[in-house]
Amino acid sequence: MQVEVTPEETAVLIRWKKRPDNHVLVQMKAEAILYASRGVDVGIIAEMVERTERTVQEWLADWQATRMCSVLTGHA
């Protein structure tokens, strides 16, 4: 499942992924979205972020619905 990410969103997601003081869930969601924007398979993304494929698919669907807000909601 590939998602569209603007250059501005990509820059923010990269910063969120790298910041050690960010909640781990924010870092994982940012990483998953970045991988998906490059066309990486959901199964591989799930392995990389150590979550189920279903969870990653939910994150990507949330991204398509609410963009940046989806990364900061929920447990984070």
Side-chain angles (χ1 to χ4, degrees):
M1 173 183 209
Q2 188 161 359
V3 296
E4 296 296 319
V5 180
T6 67
E8 294 83 10
E9 290 169 333
T10 299
V12 171
L13 290 169
I14 289 170
R15 282 196 305 273
W16 284 352
K17 180 180 151 325
K18 290 183 177 182
R19 284 190 59 172
D21 59 333
N22 267 344
H23 193 282
V24 172
L25 185 59
V26 171
Q27 292 173 335
M28 287 190 297
K29 284 182 176 184
E31 185 174 5
I33 293 163
L34 288 167
Y35 284 138
S37 73
R38 300 293 180 115
V40 177
D41 181 75
V42 172
I44 294 170
I45 296 170
E47 278 184 50
M48 299 297 287
V49 297
E50 299 178 334
R51 292 294 183 266
T52 66
E53 286 186 38
R54 181 176 175 198
T55 296
V56 172
Q57 289 170 339
E58 289 172 3
W59 290 351
L60 299 178
D62 290 346
W63 171 261
Q64 290 179 319
T66 60
R67 311 298 291 180
M68 299 299 277
C69 294
S70 70
V71 180
L72 300 175
T73 59
H75 300 292

